[in-house]
Amino acid sequence: MQINENFLKIQSSYLFSNIAKKVNAYSAAHPDKEIIRLGIGDVTRPLAPACIKAMHDAVEEMAHAETFHGYPPEYGQDFLLEAILENDYRARGVDLQKSEIFVSDGAKSDCGNIGDIFSLENRVAVCDPVYPVYVDTNVMAGRAGDKTENGWSNIIYMPCTAENHFLPEIPTEHVDLIYLCFPNNPTGMPIKKAELQKWVDYANREGAVILYDAAYEAFITEADVPHSIFELDGAKQCAIEFRSFSKTAGFTGVRCGYTVVPHDLKFGETELNALWARRQATKFNGVSYITQRAAAACYTPEGKQQIRDTIAYYQNNARVIYEGLRDCGFTVYGGTNSPYVWLKTPDNMGSWAFFDLLLEKIQVVGTPGEGFGPSGEGYFRLTAFGSAENTVRAVERIKAYFGK
Ligand code: PLP
């Protein structure tokens, strides 16, 4: 027996386990101190009542032979596919077909699994800092090469820092697969239509595929920021889009998302849609009926309103963090089209040193930018997903410690 040795190349400890270890050790040593967690990107508000009702009703259906549902359709129930097409795409002027949408258990799985349909020879480009899943899954597949001081030898890192307004620069060399995530995790920064169009044009010129993660689409507030890459000319020929109900509707614990693979996206005569359909049908058995009913309820008039209210709650937290830190003298980014605020650490402090300082002095937990890649060093992420009360208290603690 041999194992997939690529797994040995990956750091065994994932960023958030490192943070959890530090926080647990601190809390064991200081049981009297109350820690406020604005670190990981998990939501805290309950599901929308419309979703809860849909789930209760669906459970009731499962209780009777006449309305019971067994295996779901592999790619999603019609009622959900229709609701997605109508609300997330047609309403924005994007015309897609049901067969181009693949409902799944979330964007993490899909971003990770999409590599199955691409050759190991492909050159991969990622933003730096980056959501770690894109890189780690390429390492597991054997597409990343070897670990070097600056990341992985076969991965092209596109730095996103204050100097370039957190927008990656178009590579000067050929790349095959480009992971883009906007609004971005961790920087919280969006991309405007005109900028994204440059990427679509590059991908079409180079015969590359853009893997577009729109998990934070629901937080967009500005008009010239696209909600979907398919709002751009030529994107159906070069892009795959990942969407998630996690941050949109609080489904982090329910699990539902979807991936769009347009029929126009082809390698020679082969549609990538057919490859993904085959991959999903073989390795994935569909999303539970109860979950899909809950997801569809997000698109009802009451569901939409309830979801909007929850997003507004988090957006207000983001504003509290952004303005509080700015008033305190920090240089801050993000927060406007995103639940993430990305701040420059004071006095060029290392991001883990800043993490330790916040934990030890004021018991506020955030995420060190370095954990998302070398260009994240010197930055720090705070999330708006905590309760409003804790968000205000965390900002007060920061102001009291660093305040002017
Ligand atoms: N993509 C990005 C950029 C994320 O930040 C996250 C979660 O934090 C995900 C995907 C995961 O989404 P899901 O819960 O649908 O798996």
Side-chain angles (χ1 to χ4, degrees):
M1 187 277 283
Q2 294 188 26
I3 56 168
N4 177 350
E5 295 197 0
N6 294 315
F7 279 72
L8 305 181
K9 297 181 181 177
I10 307 185
Q11 244 191 346
S12 56
S13 194
Y14 185 63
L15 169 64
F16 293 106
S17 1
N18 281 343
I19 293 175
K21 267 188 220 147
K22 278 185 178 253
V23 174
N24 291 342
Y26 180 85
S27 126
H30 305 88
D32 54 315
K33 300 276 192 196
E34 192 227 357
I35 295 172
I36 301 179
R37 289 166 218 270
L38 300 182
I40 68 168
D42 198 359
V43 296
T44 52
R45 303 298 299 156
L47 292 173
C51 298
I52 295 294
K53 167 144 193 342
M55 290 172 100
H56 279 300
D57 291 348
V59 168
E60 197 49 38
E61 285 185 60
M62 296 297 263
H64 307 282
E66 311 77 60
T67 48
F68 170 80
H69 291 264
Y71 284 123
E74 283 137 344
Y75 310 133
Q77 301 274 358
D78 257 16
F79 59 78
L80 179 55
L81 297 172
E82 287 288 1
I84 290 170
L85 285 184
E86 190 52 45
N87 294 280
D88 288 344
Y89 293 102
R90 264 179 227 138
R92 296 196 182 280
V94 177
D95 200 28
L96 291 168
Q97 301 170 34
K98 272 192 278 186
S99 57
E100 296 177 302
I101 314 275
F102 296 85
V103 174
S104 74
D105 65 345
K108 188 189 219 179
S109 320
D110 289 355
C111 293
N113 293 331
I114 197 75
D116 279 11
I117 66 168
F118 294 104
S119 157
L120 292 184
E121 302 305 315
N122 284 327
R123 296 277 283 165
V124 172
V126 296
C127 292
D128 170 24
V130 67
Y131 176 54
V133 172
Y134 315 146
V135 174
D136 288 358
T137 53
N138 276 291
V139 176
M140 290 173 183
R143 206 180 277 113
D146 296 312
K147 184 122 182 82
T148 69
E149 261 179 36
N150 307 312
W152 296 90
S153 58
N154 287 350
I155 290 197
I156 293 150
Y157 292 87
M158 306 181 290
C160 297
T161 59
E163 286 68 46
N164 56 16
H165 307 287
F166 302 96
L167 288 179
E169 272 147 40
I170 307 262
T172 47
E173 58 202 301
H174 171 80
V175 301
D176 300 296
L177 301 177
I178 305 154
Y179 290 83
L180 293 181
C181 169
F182 289 106
N184 188 261
N185 177 14
T187 67
M189 296 297 272
I191 193 165
K192 302 213 161 157
K193 272 190 186 157
E195 286 300 319
L196 188 55
Q197 186 67 56
K198 292 182 194 163
W199 281 97
V200 170
D201 295 345
Y202 167 83
N204 278 325
R205 239 179 8 250
E206 290 289 317
V209 174
I210 297 175
L211 301 168
Y212 194 74
D213 186 343
Y216 297 95
E217 163 276 329
F219 286 82
I220 292 172
T221 54
E222 291 172 328
D224 52 351
V225 174
H227 288 250
S228 163
I229 193 167
F230 300 119
E231 289 173 42
L232 298 154
D233 292 337
K236 283 189 190 170
Q237 283 78 43
C238 68
I240 291 176
E241 177 162 286
F242 305 100
R243 291 280 191 111
S244 169
F245 292 92
S246 286
K247 311 299 159 79
T248 309
F251 274 42
T252 55
V254 178
R255 311 303 309 138
C256 196
Y258 64 87
T259 288
V260 182
V261 189
H263 289 298
D264 287 350
L265 178 57
K266 292 182 183 165
F267 175 77
E269 288 305 301
T270 306
E271 285 189 17
L272 272 60
N273 180 291
L275 304 188
W276 185 244
R278 190 72 180 86
R279 190 266 169 218
Q280 287 300 79
T282 303
K283 293 195 185 179
F284 184 66
N285 236 349
V287 174
S288 86
Y289 177 73
I290 299 164
T291 297
Q292 294 198 59
R293 277 291 177 201
C298 298
Y299 298 106
T300 60
E302 31 332 330
K304 280 184 189 170
Q305 186 55 50
Q306 292 158 0
I307 286 164
R308 263 200 298 272
D309 291 346
T310 303
I311 299 274
Y313 177 98
Y314 294 132
Q315 281 170 331
N316 190 54
N317 286 349
R319 191 185 53 76
V320 166
I321 299 172
Y322 184 95
E323 291 177 1
L325 268 73
R326 184 198 58 196
D327 295 349
C328 209
F330 284 92
T331 309
V332 275
Y333 305 96
T336 304
N337 295 283
S338 161
Y340 297 123
V341 175
W342 187 242
L343 58 114
K344 190 89 193 78
T345 57
D347 306 323
N348 289 323
M349 192 184 268
S351 60
W352 279 105
F354 188 67
F355 172 91
D356 291 336
L357 180 81
L358 287 194
L359 177 61
E360 281 158 26
K361 301 293 184 195
I362 55 171
Q363 295 79 48
V364 170
V365 176
T367 312
E370 197 256 354
F372 298 101
S375 296
E377 181 53 306
Y379 293 93
F380 198 76
R381 192 190 75 175
L382 290 172
T383 89
F385 288 126
S387 70
E389 299 71 36
N390 276 348
T391 303
V392 168
R393 288 169 62 228
V395 171
E396 277 167 2
R397 288 186 193 180
I398 293 172
K399 278 185 170 166
Y401 187 79
F402 295 95
K404 292 194 173 150

